Structures are given as C-alpha cells and as structure tokens.
Amino acid sequence: MQLRDGFLSRLLLETIYMSISTSVLSDLLQTLPYLRPQLYFKASLTALSHAMEDQVLAATLDAPLVIASFQRERFYRQEAHRYERLAQRSDQVYVLAAPETDFASSSEYYEKVAFDLEDALCHEWHLIVIAQNYATCLVCREFPRSANQDLQLRELSPNLDMDTARRFEGVWTSERGVSLKAADLLLARIQTYRPELANKINDVRRRFHIGKYNSIDVVTVQTSEYACDIDTDPFVQRLVTYLQASQYKLHKAYRSIAAQARKERLVNSITTTIRRSLNPQEVLHAAAQELGQILGACRCLIYRASKIESSANIEHEFIRAGITSVKGQTWQLDNNPLFAEVVQYSEGVCVADTMNDSRTSNSPVIWKHVEKLGIRSWLLEPVFYQGRLLGIIELHYCGNSPHTWHTGEIDLVKAIAIQIGAALIQAESFANLEELNSQLEALDRTRSNLIAITGHELRTPLSTIQVCLESLATEPDMPLELRQVMLNTALSDSERMRKLVQDFLTLSNLESGRVEWHPESLPLEECIDLALSRIRARTAKEDLPQINTDIADNLPLVLADGDWLVEVLAKLMDNACKFTPSDGKITISGRLLNNQMVEVTVADTGRGIEPNRLEIVFDRFYQEEGALRRTAGGTGLGLAICRQIVKGWGGDIWAQSTGKNQGSEFHFTVPIVTKTQESVVRS
Ligand code: ADP
C-alpha cells in the first residue's frame, strides 16, 4: 500500500489497527448474542475443517464462497494443495494467513491475504462456506496457554501431543444467518488488507446477500434459511473417519502411556529386589528370577561375560516347571555368533523364531542349543557398565510357536540390564571397599609393628651411646685406652643409627609411593662400575673378596632410574662382600632374559642362606643373627629397599642358595629399552 501523505497514512494505519485488533469471534458473538461458543481441541477443528472442505470438493455447489483463515503460514502450507483444488470449483476462494516465509497477498489460483502479525486473526481459526442453498461456518479463537501451563501439561503426560491438545472456543454451525454474518466480518477484514478486491467482494456480497442482515434479522432468518439442498451424508462420514483417526491416535498414545507405566512399575519392582543386596551373586539370582517370571519366559539366564572371554559359566537361572536346566554348564562364547553380534554392535540380539533364522540354522553351536533345549524364541541382552561388558541376560521361549513380544517387553529387559549393570558395579565397589578396608587394617598393623621394631632398633644403639657417654662423663679416671674404646663404640653406634634412620626413611618413601622415578636408557656396565667404586671407597682393599663382572656382549640398554639402579647394585654387592670371606669370590653378571628384561645376578661364594629363609631375607629388619648379635653391621632394611626399587620399574628380585656356606645368588630383572622407546629418547 503506497501512502503519500503523513497524516493520512497515520489515520489509515490507525483505522487498520482498530479493525484488525478485534477478534472476529468476539464481533460475531456481540452481533448474535444468542450463540453459545463451545470448546474445541485442535484435533477436532482439523477434522471438522477437512470434512467441510471435502464436502465442497464432493458436492456440486455453484461457485461457493470459501473463506479460510489460518493462524500462521505453516498451517496453511499443509493445506495449500486442497485450496488449489477448491479454487477449481469457485473464483470466490479467499485464504488468509500470517506470513512466515513465502506467504504474500496475491491473486494466483485464489485470493491470498497476508495479514498483519498484530491482527487478532493470529489467534483464530475460520472456515466459511456459502453457497446458494448451503452455508456453514467454523469461527474459533485459541485459548492462550502460558509457558507454565505448557510445562505442567508436559509433566503430567509426557507422551501427549502438545499441538493437537491446543484448545479453542468458538462456533460451528450450518445456520445460514450466522454463516453470512461471519462471512460479512471476514470479507470486511479482507478488504482492509486488499482494497483492490472491493469489486470482487461486492459481487459475492450481492450474490449471497452478505451484509444484508443486522443482528435481529439474523435471528429471524435463522430458521427460515436453514435449508440445504446438498447431501450431507459424505460430510458426516468423512467427519466420522477423521474423528476415528484422531481417536485411534489418542488410543495409541494411551497405550504407550500405559506400557510406559507398566514398564516403570516392573523396573521399579525388579530394581528394588536386586538393590536389596550388595552381594553380586544374590543380585544376579534375584534379577534372573524376577525377569523370567514377569516376562513369562521358559528360561532366564544371567551369566558373567566379558568381550574377551571365550566361555561363560551359567551361574543364574530361572526355569519354568518341566524346562531343562542349564545351570552350572559352561557355554562356549568364542564360536557363538549371537554373542559375537552382541559384542560387535554393543546391543541386544533377538531371534524371533529360531526355526526361521539363518543365524541359528548356520551355527552348529547355536543349533545344538536350539535342539537340545527346545528354544523357539531367543533374546540376548548385554549388561554394560560405562561401555564395559559385564554379563549377558538370556531369555528363552520354548514351545511349538515363536513368542510374541508385547510392546515394551524388550525395553523392559534393556532397562533391567542397565539396573543390573549399576547394581553389579555397586556390589563390586563395595567388595573393593571391604578389601581396601582390610588392606588398610593390615597396613595399620604393619605400621604399629614397624614403630615397635624401629623403636627397638633405635633404642639399642642409643642405649650403648648413652652408657659410653655417661661412663666417660662420670669416670674421669678411666684409662685412656678404655676411653678410646668407649668413644669408638659411641661413634660407630651413632653412625649405625644414622644409617638406620636414612634407610628407614628411604623405605617408607618407596612404600608410600612418594618417590619420583626418572627412567633413562642406561648401559648396565656403567651402573655396575659406579656401584663398585662406592664399595671400594668405603672398604679396605684387602678385606674385599675378588670381584668379577660378566656382562653378555651386545646387552641392550636398560630402562631405569640410574640412581636407584646403582643403589640396588650397591646394596647387593655390599651384602655379598659382608657375607663372603676375603678369599671368596663375587661375580656380577647380566644377560638378556627375554626380549623385554635383562637379568642381573650378584653371586658370591660366602656363607649362603638356608633354603627356607630365601624369601624372608627380604622382610624388613630380617637379619639371620638377630639385630643384637650382628657381626656384619647393616640395618636389616637393605633387601626390603631393593625389592621396593625393583618393583618400581616392574621387575622381580629373588634369592637363590643351596644352604649354609654354599654361597648365595641375588637376581633381579630390569626392563630393556625397546626400539620405539629408543627412537623417542633419540628424538
Ligand atoms: P642387612 O644386610 O643390613 O642386615 P639386608 O636386608 O640387606 O640387611 O639383608 C638381610 C639379611 O639377609 C642379612 O642380614 C643376611 O642375614 C641375609 N643376607 C643378605 N645378603 C646375603 C648374602 N649375600 N649372603 C648371605 N646372607 C645374606
């Protein structure tokens, strides 16, 4: 609309606004106060409108006036093809809609009227058909629903189709007077938007006497002009079909709500049963019984299985009377195609009829079960927890005909599988917690023991030092040589205490995992040389037995923390020196054990170890002669420290000896540097 003059355009806009802000329904009700509006759901309005349109299409009406008003373009789009067909029957077809994308006022096929988004028509639904001896109209307005009401409705019935549940109030009638008045109001609205159609609109007004009556007249004409000369039977039939269709939809929705409710009830009852226990065996037993019974299966099996296991032990079973039990049997999983399918797709597998399924007939393993156990329908549902396969639920239906699954039954099994997964993990965590608890208790006991032992170990040298120093202090007349002896004893015992405290701290750091490891590629010989030089630095040469090294040629580099590797070697060599007379021999050798580890051996020809002591020499504070009668010094913590260090790089340490005076061998393993690690180190 081209508006030139400012005042005029404002006036026109105001007039338009005035005329569009009123509801057509309100206007109609105001003019015809005897009308009683009714409540309609959107589904009924759709059915009614379709039936009215079909009636026009089916009847031989002479160029009727058809006015349809849609709240939005999208609703019109679903019906556009019908209006093209309607337009073939009449040149007086008007379609109104609030534009969204393409809809615009135009005169192609029929008259399109794009109304303003401010227009009260946005909330209304109209369909008017006027012919010579036939008139009908549907004039409705939507009840606005707040976001809150929407939410409440959704919570009450999540399956409800929110669109079809939209509510309208209005009038549907075949009274000619009412239809003419409604047409009058809508034609006026059309003319507001499309003034250029004035002549066409006047034509139709004249033809059907629209706008001729005032409200009083309508009341008087309503009975006299009720006549209709077209067959309304098809209309009624169509209406019934549409209503039945929506009834069917409703019925389906109720059925799914009922199935959902049933499923929830069952899941709750099974969950309550399986959650009563924290014992995985009880959980699985209860689940098999409940599920088998509720789903009327002949056999319900639950067994533990993982993706890599090749067989499963059938631990839990529910069977109906007269059905063969398989409890306690071991079933092969690696050649079971149904299990393979479950693993491959991480989903359940359902064989509706084992007699007509290639998966069962082509697999000898499955076929054997089918024949022996009479399985006709078969369901395998995996029990997962966070992607980890924990087990399988199997339902067998035996009999002459395949089982018919009811709606939601398979979903129920799936829901239970989820619950079982969670219950199993909960039970497992509880068991782990108990295990952890007992470990903690054991640790606590060890700690108390350790404190007692350490206390004793520390008190012994401390008492000696105290006695020596007290004697020196209280007996000034003590001979010089004795004084020297006292001082030397105090000094050596304080040195022993220092070592003890140091070893004790090292061991507790290693045991509590507080040590930071810095693995590097090392040549074993270099570490042996370093350890040897340490020994040689603190022991007089003549006291040392002969020491040889025997390292295999081309021994690969080892991957370990250098400082700790030298520490282990030094401690083992130190022991070998301590327990081997100076005319004995010590040999340190290294060889490739497999393609991952090097085995290092420190062998001596010394006093040997009784075979029954070979393991306990690694205990803390173990010393053959007891701490008080030690001859060779040491803290009794050396081997315990070595074991912790070797464990740190994933190796093993062990002792070998054929007995007293037969010499001892201490072996340990260190990982070698693999090719990929080597290249990483190099780059
Ligand atoms: P320490 O040597 O400080 O006493 P260790 O933990 O290193 O403590 O050794 C524990 C005990 O194991 C030693 O006291 C000794 O009885 C025995 N042992 C260790 N190495 C040898 C060995 N090479 N020959 C014989 N006995 C050994």
Side-chain angles (χ1 to χ4, degrees), residues 259-260 262-268 270-271 274 284 287-297 299-303 342 347-350 377-384 391-397 403-422:
Q260 180 77 16
R262 179 170 172 268
K263 189 183 115 189
E264 270 164 25
R265 262 202 320 277
L266 292 179
V267 171
N268 279 347
I270 300 181
T271 311
I274 59 182
L284 297 179
Q289 300 307 310
E290 293 284 315
L291 208 54
Q293 235 151 30
I294 285 171
L295 294 183
R299 200 180 284 112
C300 175
L301 310 176
I302 302 186
Y303 49 85
V342 169
E347 265 203 6
V349 168
C350 179
S377 299
W378 197 336
L379 180 92
L380 264 88
E381 185 61 37
V383 176
F384 278 110
I392 298 281
I393 304 175
E394 284 200 18
L395 286 172
H396 299 171
Y397 290 87
H403 172 70
T404 321
W405 295 97
H406 294 294
T407 330
E409 275 185 349
I410 295 184
D411 285 346
L412 174 73
V413 182
K414 286 188 192 305
I416 294 302
I418 294 172
Q419 293 298 329
I420 293 179

Side-chain angles (χ1 to χ4, degrees), residues 86 181 356 368 408 414 490 537 625 633:
L86 280 168
K181 185 67 206 166
N356 289 307
K368 199 179 79 196
K414 286 188 192 305
E625 55 279 85

